Amino acid sequence: MRLKKVTSLALTAAMGMSLLAGCGGSSGETTAATEAGKTEAKTESSGGGDDTTTEAASGGQLVANHDTEYTVDFYNVAANFQGVQPGWYGKIVKDKFNMNLNIIAPQVSGDGAALYQTRCAAGNLGDLIILDNADFSECVDAGLVMDLNGIIQNYPNLMKFQSQIEAFNKQIGDGSGIYAIPLEMNNNGPTDYKQLHVYTYPRMGWDMYNEVGAPELKNTDDLLNCLKAIQDAHPTNDKGDPAYAISLWKDWDSNYMECVAQVTKWYGQEVNGSVLIGTDNSITPLTDKNGAYYKMLKFFFKANQMGLVDPDSATQDWNAVVSKMQDKRIYLYWYSWQYGFWNSPARGEEGVNYVEIPVADTNLYQPSDTYYGDGRVIGVGSQVSEENLARLMEFLDWYASPEGVQIQHAGTEGLTYTIENGKYTPTEDGLNRFSAEVKVPDEMGGGNWNDGNNMINQWIVASCDINPETGEPYSDQMWSTTLELNQTKTTKEWTEKFGAKDDVEYLLKNNMMTVVPSINMSLAIDDTDTSLIRNQTGDVIKEASWRMVFATDEADFEAQWDEMVSQLDGLGYADLVKFDTEKYQPMLDARKAAQ
């Protein structure tokens, strides 16, 4: 994964049945008719650097002029970095497009809401804009986003996802424009799940799990007892640094505690605003004591009572957690992409890789691959000049091209992978790029690979999509060569113990996972009163949740929960729950139609 922030919009939504029919997606260099008055779309790739016109006379693809350096203001809610894209990825973009990406990241700016409101009020959010669906729709209505209809149709790599793009844009504005390009699309199908691992689930070091007797885990209490045994045996890492079973972080929080929200999926519910949406298509308030938010908040409380929670949790950020994972100072992972910070074939042969450990009473809420997009979109600011529009469209089409997508998901040829007879094979640096200091040659941008990685932190094409040049997924983790390398002592022993080739097979075979259709749509936007309630109640939930993790005892935990609920009631939380229930019902109706 990304190193994608996966505070990823927890919204996975579904479109109506009419949008599901015939949406298999196009392949190759698709052409499409443009709007009235435009000519048939071209299918060739974007133009090169010596062209001086800004629009083809035929009404086809815009032609970019690269003579002048262009610094793109890129407003991006997904980014964990603010500033000009550095390193090897910055060099690729600069060399290809004479362009710098100046990333404006609300979540690291100090006050993201104020930044958003200020830039919206100024009428110029950015040249390129990544937003959650609802905010983007609001910006379309406010005139902050450019209509690309009649333009985007001339970009063949984007048009591979024509059906998804058109389906989403029918839901915003008056339905006639093309403002948004959904992110993380694929052409595998709207209900498929083709990943090697589930997104969120308990994961531990195979060696440490076996060292404490490889116990059967019936529930989260058993999980905590297993982690306690591991931490007691290994209170420090090999360097002597303090190590803990669980390490948390605050900087991904939105209107709730994100670390809690992600693990609610273990028990069949996903947090969406003020409500929990279940694998059974139910909608219940987040504050329901029978719900998974309460259950998993109490899980972290119990962990802290057992001394298993890193005391830095309330003050550290995600980057600090990454460093600790790389030093093996954290014993429980729950994101699949956290593997990248430690796992490797060499460590797998040592038996020290992290792997999924089944917890018998779980029923995982697993969204399908994001065929229609993941709940965020990218667009072009309405104030962009015609000349700069040509350059931005060229960049976006490349970003969705096999070359651009392969770079995104596997790095650079010669450094992180090699090609022989059309077969892509990861190098040792490629396998270790997230878990070790991989030095980049000066001619490729220099510095450390991670420091120069793509700071956009979102992509148009998902890693599970198929690269037409290889016939395999873009993700290097899913290449046949990588799968062969990863048949290590760890994976073989895991398979022997659990009787499945991987966790996806195990969970499905044992009825411990439900795959729900993940079909993107734009839902109702908060009005002023609803927004005020959401912000006020969100602050209460976040602050109370963190206090409850560190409550002195169970009585204190329960008293704080009750006090939180009482405060929420006084702030109109019931109205917010009613709003969100009505908001997400169309998603559930369409999900049922897709199943």
Side-chain angles (χ1 to χ4, degrees), residues 42-55:
K42 291 184 179 180
T43 58
E44 62 267 17
S45 297
S46 301
D50 292 333
D51 297 305
T52 56
T53 58
T54 58
E55 184 173 5

Side-chain angles (χ1 to χ4, degrees), residues 54-266:
T54 58
E55 184 173 5
S58 65
Q61 198 174 80
L62 302 175
V63 181
N65 183 328
H66 302 134
D67 291 346
T68 304
E69 182 178 86
Y70 176 23
T71 296
V72 178
D73 281 344
F74 197 151
Y75 186 90
N76 184 352
V77 299
N80 296 313
F81 166 90
Q82 185 153 275
V84 174
Q85 167 71 52
W88 64 269
Y89 193 80
K91 187 176 190 304
I92 288 173
V93 174
K94 184 68 163 61
D95 289 350
K96 289 187 73 69
F97 305 107
N98 197 16
M99 181 184 288
N100 302 305
L101 302 177
N102 178 38
I103 297 171
I104 301 163
Q107 71 182 13
V108 296
S109 67
D111 189 341
L115 177 66
Y116 175 71
Q117 290 162 6
T118 299
R119 296 186 71 88
C120 284
N124 188 1
L125 197 53
D127 298 344
L128 288 176
I129 301 164
I130 288 179
L131 288 172
D132 294 339
N133 287 350
D135 289 335
F136 193 92
S137 181
E138 188 175 51
C139 287
V140 168
D141 293 339
L144 296 174
V145 186
M146 186 175 294
D147 184 357
L148 302 176
N149 202 9
I151 299 170
I152 194 172
Q153 288 88 348
N154 299 294
Y155 291 86
N157 294 304
L158 293 170
M159 283 295 97
K160 292 174 185 176
F161 303 94
Q162 180 178 1
S163 62
Q164 294 98 313
I165 292 171
E166 290 180 350
F168 181 82
N169 280 275
K170 286 176 182 175
Q171 306 167 68
I172 59 177
D174 64 5
S176 65
I178 301 291
Y179 296 92
I181 301 168
L183 296 170
E184 291 209 55
M185 295 179 288
N186 72 81
N187 277 324
N188 295 333
T191 60
D192 283 1
Y193 187 72
K194 294 191 174 183
Q195 305 295 328
L196 295 175
H197 304 286
V198 294
Y199 179 64
T200 177
Y201 205 70
R203 296 169 164 104
M204 289 182 266
W206 185 239
D207 57 329
M208 293 183 170
Y209 172 67
N210 281 293
E211 180 184 336
V212 299
E216 180 184 357
L217 307 181
K218 297 183 178 66
N219 50 45
T220 52
D221 287 340
D222 287 348
L223 174 60
L224 289 176
N225 289 331
C226 180
L227 290 167
K228 179 74 163 60
I230 290 173
Q231 185 175 308
D232 285 349
H234 300 277
T236 65
N237 67 359
D238 291 342
K239 298 177 183 178
D241 300 316
Y244 294 90
I246 293 169
S247 199
L248 308 172
W249 59 98
K250 275 187 174 180
D251 51 319
W252 291 9
D253 290 354
S254 52
N255 291 303
Y256 36 78
M257 187 173 169
E258 186 67 31
C259 290
V260 177
Q262 286 302 320
V263 297
T264 64
K265 297 183 181 76
W266 299 357

Side-chain angles (χ1 to χ4, degrees), residues 518-570:
S518 175
I519 308 168
N520 196 23
M521 71 186 299
S522 182
L523 299 175
I525 301 170
D526 291 356
D527 56 30
T528 302
D529 291 341
T530 302
S531 179
L532 178 62
I533 295 171
R534 195 179 302 281
N535 290 336
Q536 290 177 333
T537 57
D539 288 343
V540 170
I541 293 168
K542 283 183 293 186
E543 292 168 10
S545 295
W546 279 96
R547 287 197 308 270
M548 279 184 268
V549 170
F550 297 100
T552 56
D553 53 31
E554 188 162 356
D556 183 29
F557 178 93
E558 295 296 342
Q560 290 200 54
W561 176 272
D562 292 342
E563 174 61 24
M564 178 189 76
V565 173
S566 177
Q567 288 186 50
L568 295 176
D569 288 344

Side-chain angles (χ1 to χ4, degrees), residues 260-271 276 292-293 296:
V260 177
Q262 286 302 320
V263 297
T264 64
K265 297 183 181 76
W266 299 357
Y267 287 93
Q269 291 182 314
E270 180 183 69
V271 179
L276 297 163
Y293 191 86
M296 300 315 293

Side-chain angles (χ1 to χ4, degrees), residues 11-49:
L11 166 65
T12 55
M15 294 186 299
M17 187 184 243
S18 63
L19 297 181
L20 294 174
C23 290
S26 55
S27 61
E29 294 187 333
T30 305
T31 60
T34 61
E35 64 184 341
K38 299 288 186 180
T39 62
E40 183 175 350
K42 291 184 179 180
T43 58
E44 62 267 17
S45 297
S46 301

Side-chain angles (χ1 to χ4, degrees), residues 351-363:
V352 301
N353 271 355
Y354 282 70
V355 288
E356 290 85 353
I357 305 298
V359 177
D361 70 341
T362 52
N363 173 26

